[in-house]
Amino acid sequence: MNRKSLILVLFLVSDIFFAVAQETGLPSDYPGSQFHSERREALRKLMPPHSVAVIFAYPTRNFSNDVDYPYHQNPELYYFSGYNEPHSLLFIFKDQQQSKDGKPYNELFFVQKRDPRQEQWTGKRLGVEGVKKLGFEMVFENSEFEKYDLDLKKFDNVLYDELPADVKDDANDGADLYDLVRLFKIKAEIKEGYNAGLYNLYDVIRNYDKRAHDRVVDYVNKARANNKSYQDDPLITAYMNAKDSLSVGNAVAALSAMPAPYSEYNKIMGTLREIKTPEEIALLRKAVGISAIAHREVMKAIQPGMSEREIQGIQEFVHRKYGAEWEGYPPIVGAGGNGCILHYEENNLTRVGNQLVLMDVGAEYHGYSADVTRTIPSNGKFTPAQKAIYDIVYEAQEATFKICREDTSMEALQNKSFEIVAKGLLKLGIISKAEDAATYYPHGVSHHLGLDVHDKSNYGALKAGMVITVEPGIYIPEGSNCDKKWWNIGVRIEDDVLITHGNCEVLSAKAPRKSTDVELAETGKSAFNGMVLPALK
């Protein structure tokens, strides 16, 4: 056994190993086997006739030398099974199948085997019998997949997501994820060499062109810059050379006639996952509620002498205190100009000073992710320039909330928020034309939320049961073409919203948003400010 295994026991499944020894103390609010079974049945109703859905576990990933990252399961495999171990493969059949011994089944699950010696280091594995307790009957060790008589060629549709790539082949394990993918390609007769990146580019164009043509063109241009296959592709070239709406429409239609092998799979998953069940909404409420409390706690604790990472640490401590296992994405804590970097993740400024601090930090609770952003003054008071920008973003968010209702399109949300931001920037003299607001508000206002922070959806009209973000922002980095007093002001306010049959519900309302409420919250006392640690020498 090596050091890698020892680290995994500490970081990956120490809570499970402890539970085996103590048989007490685990959270009791995970979705039960009935939830996962119902999700599989819901999937079958959406699948085309005579089809099978194929879902792989996510790969394990190396962190350093012989240490892996904590394992994070494929959200879809968890969604349909509740299983959280690697090197596994699930088949869900539309129709009943029959085994050689005459036994009917509509699911097959290949999982990693029990290994008492390895489990001493990395924690208990469920194994075949444990997975059967999750509600599955036809469960086998992953090593049995190679010889299992499964003729995938007889199905009209074999539905699968983009296959795991860059997967390490463990020479000592003939049934790891690498081998499961390899054997699946053989059994399904999947041709090697298709350009997954090119199909992804097709998806971007056909899914987003109508909503944001200029941004899509910019995205494609950047993607093509260093990729000859994108440059030479006739469909991409026709799209980029289109000069009017008719030719753009024709180019997009041509792309739509070339679906990726996994397009049908993702369309079905988007339909299924975009509407949350009551169990999912309950978990999202917890994830978002924990995140809102963490943001409020930072408002009470923040001081100009703090570092970005210290602020991140307060957020993460509160998350763990309330039982959240992880963050839903790498935390963003950016002071001053760092807040103008949309996905700033270094968080390494040692003193935030008297600047605005943008905090985009959301907890992940039992697999479900929040996504909450607040922008606050580190010294407790907005300057006039900071407040002017902040209040525009607040007004844009308020206006967008009002139309977060059933049957509203995502495009309408974007247009409303952009309209308010443009009007505000024009009034301040920062821009001279409304369309120039895109320079300072370069991103979309909303995305779906769930098991993924950018959750799967088909991005049609809003429906009751959807959970989305509303996140307008204004970012004015140093050197911008405006008065210097606006430089290095970056503001985003992001909340998580449940669409209902009436007005939307803001799930993150416990985190103050209005500028005066933020300032009031910063007058509160925090236990973190009384913490005194010895100095490092």
Side-chain angles (χ1 to χ4, degrees):
M1 293 297 156
N2 56 27
R3 181 169 168 266
K4 177 178 179 179
S5 297
L6 177 61
I7 296 297
L8 280 174
V9 71
L10 295 175
F11 287 94
L12 176 59
V13 289
S14 59
D15 54 339
I16 297 175
F17 194 80
F18 179 81
V20 172
Q22 303 296 323
E23 296 184 353
T24 60
L26 285 176
S28 59
D29 56 346
Y30 288 102
S33 59
Q34 183 177 349
F35 166 82
H36 300 293
S37 176
E38 289 173 351
R39 294 297 82 206
R40 297 194 297 274
E41 286 304 314
L43 171 61
R44 287 190 182 93
K45 292 178 181 178
L46 296 174
M47 291 167 63
H50 205 50
S51 62
V52 55
V54 186
I55 305 163
F56 287 90
Y58 270 178
T60 56
R61 291 299 185 193
N62 182 251
F63 175 76
S64 174
N65 193 15
D66 58 352
V67 179
D68 278 354
Y69 283 99
Y71 183 67
H72 194 286
Q73 183 60 281
N74 177 355
E76 234 129 55
L77 186 60
Y78 175 76
Y79 184 69
F80 292 117
S81 70
Y83 184 67
N84 267 318
E85 298 179 28
H87 307 302
S88 50
L89 170 59
L90 174 62
F91 292 90
I92 300 175
F93 300 91
K94 170 76 172 183
D95 309 303
Q96 285 285 347
Q97 308 297 305
Q98 194 169 53
S99 65
K100 280 187 173 181
D101 60 4
K103 185 177 181 180
Y105 66 91
N106 57 10
E107 298 156 352
L108 286 175
F109 208 169
F110 296 89
V111 301
Q112 63 178 1
K113 67 179 181 180
R114 296 292 306 273
D115 184 339
R117 188 180 178 190
Q118 188 67 19
E119 289 177 43
Q120 184 180 14
W121 292 85
T122 59
K124 181 178 174 61
R125 296 179 180 182
L126 291 181
V128 169
E129 295 306 314
V131 173
K132 286 181 178 179
K133 294 177 182 178
L134 298 179
F136 294 89
E137 294 184 9
M138 297 287 283
V139 186
F140 304 90
E141 291 183 357
N142 51 16
S143 59
E144 296 183 57
F145 179 53
E146 182 172 12
K147 295 183 179 179
Y148 194 89
D149 185 17
L150 177 61
D151 183 9
L152 293 173
K153 299 184 292 297
K154 73 179 184 180
F155 293 95
D156 293 339
N157 288 279
V158 178
L159 306 167
Y160 57 94
D161 202 353
E162 186 174 355
L163 296 175
D166 189 27
V167 180
K168 181 180 178 181
D169 181 15
D170 184 349
N172 297 316
D173 186 350
D176 60 3
L177 182 62
Y178 178 92
D179 291 296
L180 293 176
V181 173
R182 176 181 60 82
L183 292 168
F184 168 69
K185 288 179 177 179
I186 294 171
K187 290 176 181 284
E189 293 189 345
I190 294 174
K191 295 179 180 179
E192 297 284 355
Y194 79 89
N195 191 331
L198 188 61
Y199 280 112
N200 285 332
L201 207 55
Y202 289 173
D203 280 343
V204 168
I205 294 171
R206 59 176 158 248
N207 290 334
Y208 298 103
D209 177 79
K210 286 185 178 180
R211 284 185 276 159
H213 174 76
D214 291 341
R215 288 210 298 271
V216 171
V217 168
D218 183 60
Y219 177 86
V220 175
N221 261 327
K222 291 176 180 177
R224 295 179 87 201
N226 298 305
N227 191 308
K228 193 172 187 304
S229 67
Y230 298 171
Q231 296 168 9
D232 294 342
D233 183 74
L235 296 177
I236 298 292
T237 301
Y239 173 77
M240 296 302 290
N241 291 341
K243 302 300 183 185
D244 53 58
S245 58
L246 178 60
S247 54
V248 168
N250 290 337
V252 173
L255 287 166
S256 299
M258 292 288 292
Y262 42 82
S263 292
E264 183 66 19
Y265 173 93
N266 280 316
K267 182 179 179 181
I268 293 171
M269 293 302 171
T271 300
L272 190 60
R273 286 177 55 183
E274 67 185 5
I275 305 294
K276 270 51 184 184
T277 67
E279 297 94 334
E280 292 180 288
I281 291 172
L283 292 175
L284 280 165
R285 284 187 187 279
K286 287 188 178 181
V288 176
I290 291 168
S291 304
I293 291 171
H295 278 278
R296 190 181 187 101
E297 192 61 36
V298 171
M299 291 178 190
K300 294 189 293 182
I302 194 167
Q303 297 174 1
M306 284 184 169
S307 68
E308 291 173 342
R309 203 171 303 283
E310 187 177 359
I311 293 167
Q312 175 185 341
I314 294 173
Q315 297 260 10
E316 292 178 349
F317 176 85
V318 174
H319 293 174
R320 301 299 180 274
K321 182 70 174 175
Y322 284 92
E325 294 87 350
W326 310 108
E327 283 63 54
Y329 49 94
I332 297 168
V333 180
N338 291 338
C340 297
I341 303 170
L342 298 184
H343 285 174
Y344 172 76
E345 296 174 2
E346 287 83 355
N347 303 346
N348 58 8
L349 189 67
T350 57
R351 189 177 189 277
V352 298
N354 294 313
Q355 303 183 93
L356 284 182
V357 179
L358 187 154
M359 308 175 296
D360 188 340
V361 190
E364 181 184 299
Y365 187 85
H366 296 359
Y368 286 81
S369 178
D371 192 359
V372 180
T373 305
R374 291 293 183 268
T375 307
I376 64 177
S378 63
N379 59 7
K381 193 75 176 176
F382 289 98
T383 67
Q386 290 170 350
K387 187 176 187 301
I389 298 299
Y390 188 96
D391 287 347
I392 293 172
V393 176
Y394 175 81
E395 290 168 14
Q397 193 187 41
E398 283 287 292
T400 307
F401 283 153
K402 291 177 181 177
I403 61 171
C404 284
R405 303 173 65 92
E406 288 183 293
D407 298 324
T408 302
S409 68
M410 285 287 201
E411 184 178 11
L413 303 185
Q414 181 68 28
N415 291 343
K416 175 56 69 175
S417 66
F418 191 89
E419 172 193 333
I420 303 300
V421 167
K423 188 181 298 183
L425 293 177
L426 283 166
K427 186 176 180 179
L428 294 178
I430 294 175
I431 59 175
S432 57
K433 297 180 295 182
E435 55 265 32
D436 290 342
T439 301
Y440 304 111
Y441 178 23
H443 61 75
V445 74
S446 184
H447 59 78
H448 285 257
L449 199 60
L451 283 166
D452 289 298
V453 66
H454 296 156
D455 212 32
K456 283 189 176 179
S457 169
N458 293 319
Y459 281 86
L462 298 180
K463 300 174 184 176
M466 290 180 170
V467 179
I468 63 170
T469 64
V470 177
E471 49 177 307
I474 296 174
Y475 317 88
I476 311 176
E478 183 176 345
S480 295
N481 186 26
C482 61
D483 193 307
K484 291 183 179 180
K485 70 179 180 179
W486 307 113
W487 288 6
N488 291 325
I489 295 178
V491 175
R492 180 163 65 254
I493 311 173
E494 179 178 16
D495 283 88
D496 302 337
V497 169
L498 172 64
I499 305 302
T500 72
H501 292 299
N503 294 327
C504 70
E505 179 185 352
V506 180
L507 301 177
S508 44
K510 288 184 179 179
R513 293 187 301 113
K514 196 172 183 179
S515 57
T516 52
D517 292 338
V518 170
E519 290 177 341
L520 180 62
E522 291 196 44
T523 65
K525 295 181 179 180
S526 171
F528 288 99
N529 295 139
M531 184 182 297
V532 179
L533 298 174
L536 287 175
K537 295 182 180 179

